[in-house]
């Protein structure tokens, strides 16, 4: 009972303390106890304006929103960060090669590691990539001469399979009328297919492959077109026109 009475006495003493005495004990002015910041209310108002802009323009970042609202971009960025407001970002789709998941390493070794050819048609490099075309993927396989760094041939298909890479190889053989010593690629299922390696071995070409999960052993820059071609590529609506642009 004694402890309860002491606590009650302390509470009563606190209740009787005026705001002036409390301010003096804290070492601040009395007006500070009545201060209410205006920034949170302004930020909430600006938040609503930003959200209204994002409704009509979901891809706008803080700079475009600042231009739309005619405000400082730093203020817009601060408020967006405060309330976690972010523009819509569409996730890019990438093709999935299920047949390559968990696949055992190929028997072929990297025969050109540290190798530097001194003439053309010694080492050909084969690889393929995907292009977004009219809402779907188009696959482009290329054959490149390691010495000249030129694209010898290519093949375009709607599917990434062995026919895609075999077509590029056959086109290269037919176009150059020459047989290289080495044909290098990664260990994708399109290149480890028996049909692909059979074509190479039939022509007495030594098949070379990078180690698994190391496709960037040889770095080659592929330039398939200038800016005007890239613009024309985006405006193309037919696959035949796409092939002509790549040529």
């Amino acid at each position: 009972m004694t402890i309860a009475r002491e606590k009650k006495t302390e509470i009563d003493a606190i209740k009787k303390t005026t705001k002036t005495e409390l301010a003096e004990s804290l070492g601040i002015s009395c007006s500070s106890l009545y201060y209410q910041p205006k920034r949170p209310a302004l930020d909430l108002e600006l938040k609503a304006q930003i959200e209204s802009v994002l409704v009509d323009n979901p891809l706008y970042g803080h700079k475009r929103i600042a231009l739309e609202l005619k405000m400082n971009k730093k203020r817009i960025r601060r408020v967006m960060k405060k309330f976690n407001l972010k523009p819509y970002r569409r996730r890019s789709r990438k093709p999935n090669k299920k047949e390559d998941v968990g696949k055992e390493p190929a028997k072929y070794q990297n025969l050109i590691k540290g190798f530097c050819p001194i003439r053309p048609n010694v080492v050909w490099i084969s690889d393929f990539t995907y292009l977004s075309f009219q809402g779907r993927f188009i696959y482009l396989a290329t054959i490149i001469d390691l010495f000249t760094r030129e694209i010898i041939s290519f093949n375009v298909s709607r599917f990434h399979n062995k026919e895609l890479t075999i077509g590029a190889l056959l086109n290269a053989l037919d176009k150059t009328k020459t047989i290289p010593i080495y044909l290098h690629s990664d260990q994708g299922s399109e290149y480890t297919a028996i049909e692909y390696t059979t074509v190479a071995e039939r022509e007495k070409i030594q098949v070379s492959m990078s180690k698994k999960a190391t496709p960037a052993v040889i770095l080659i820059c592929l330039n398939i077109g200038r800016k005007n071609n890239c613009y024309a590529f985006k405006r193309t609506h037919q696959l035949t026109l796409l092939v002509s642009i790549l040529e």
Side-chain angles (χ1 to χ4, degrees):
M1 296 294 293
T2 305
I3 297 175
R5 289 179 181 178
E6 290 178 355
K7 288 185 177 181
K8 184 177 180 181
T9 303
E10 292 176 358
I11 293 173
D12 293 339
I14 293 174
K15 288 182 178 180
K16 293 179 181 179
T17 303
T18 62
K19 292 184 178 181
T20 303
E21 295 173 346
L22 181 60
E24 291 178 354
S25 63
L26 295 175
I28 60 176
S29 63
C30 187
S31 60
S32 300
L33 299 176
Y34 298 94
Y35 174 75
Q36 294 183 356
K38 298 180 180 179
R39 179 62 61 187
L42 295 175
D43 289 347
L44 285 174
E45 182 180 354
L46 182 56
K47 172 178 176 288
Q49 296 178 7
I50 294 173
E51 289 176 337
S52 65
V53 174
L54 289 175
V55 170
D56 298 329
N57 305 281
L59 299 179
Y60 275 15
H62 72 280
K63 293 182 180 180
R64 296 291 297 273
I65 295 175
L67 292 174
E68 186 75 16
L69 298 178
K70 298 180 180 179
M71 294 184 180
N72 189 288
K73 64 180 181 180
K74 295 181 179 179
R75 182 184 177 190
I76 300 296
R77 182 176 59 187
R78 179 184 62 80
V79 174
M80 291 182 68
K81 186 175 181 180
K82 178 179 180 181
F83 295 102
N84 196 27
L85 300 177
K86 297 180 180 180
Y88 172 76
R89 289 290 182 267
R90 183 175 57 186
R91 294 183 179 180
S92 59
R93 297 186 300 118
K94 294 184 178 181
N96 185 20
K97 298 170 61 178
K98 297 181 180 179
E99 57 272 20
D100 286 354
V101 177
K103 188 183 67 172
E104 294 294 329
K107 64 178 182 179
Y108 299 98
Q109 303 296 319
N110 188 349
L111 303 177
I112 65 169
K113 187 175 182 181
F115 184 78
C116 182
I118 59 175
R119 60 182 177 85
N121 298 317
V122 175
V123 179
W124 286 358
I125 307 295
S126 180
D127 200 359
F128 78 93
T129 186
Y130 64 92
L131 307 171
S132 180
F133 178 75
Q134 298 298 315
R136 61 185 180 183
F137 290 123
I138 298 297
Y139 299 91
L140 171 67
T142 57
I143 300 288
I144 306 173
D145 190 293
L146 182 59
F147 177 75
T148 62
R149 303 298 176 93
E150 294 181 356
I151 298 177
I152 301 173
S153 71
F154 69 90
N155 190 25
V156 179
S157 174
R158 289 182 54 193
F159 309 99
H160 60 97
N161 49 24
K162 57 190 177 185
E163 286 77 15
L164 172 69
T165 55
I166 292 174
L169 177 57
L170 293 177
N171 290 340
L173 294 172
D174 181 67
K175 181 179 179 180
T176 61
K177 307 298 182 183
T178 306
I179 297 177
I181 299 176
Y182 302 101
L183 178 63
H184 186 79
S185 66
D186 57 25
Q187 294 194 24
S189 59
E190 297 81 7
Y191 296 105
T192 57
I194 298 176
E195 292 83 354
Y196 178 81
T197 56
T198 300
V199 173
E201 293 171 350
R202 184 181 62 199
E203 301 294 337
K204 307 300 181 181
I205 304 173
Q206 299 184 47
V207 178
S208 172
M209 292 186 181
S210 302
K211 289 184 179 180
K212 192 175 181 181
T214 58
V217 173
I218 300 176
L219 300 178
I220 297 178
C221 180
L222 301 179
N223 184 8
I224 63 173
R226 300 180 182 272
K227 285 186 178 180
N228 56 348
N229 284 348
C230 291
Y231 176 76
F233 166 73
K234 292 180 181 180
R235 302 282 294 182
T236 302
H237 297 278
Q238 296 182 7
L239 188 58
T240 54
L241 294 179
L242 170 63
V243 174
S244 64
I245 290 173
L246 295 175
E247 291 177 342

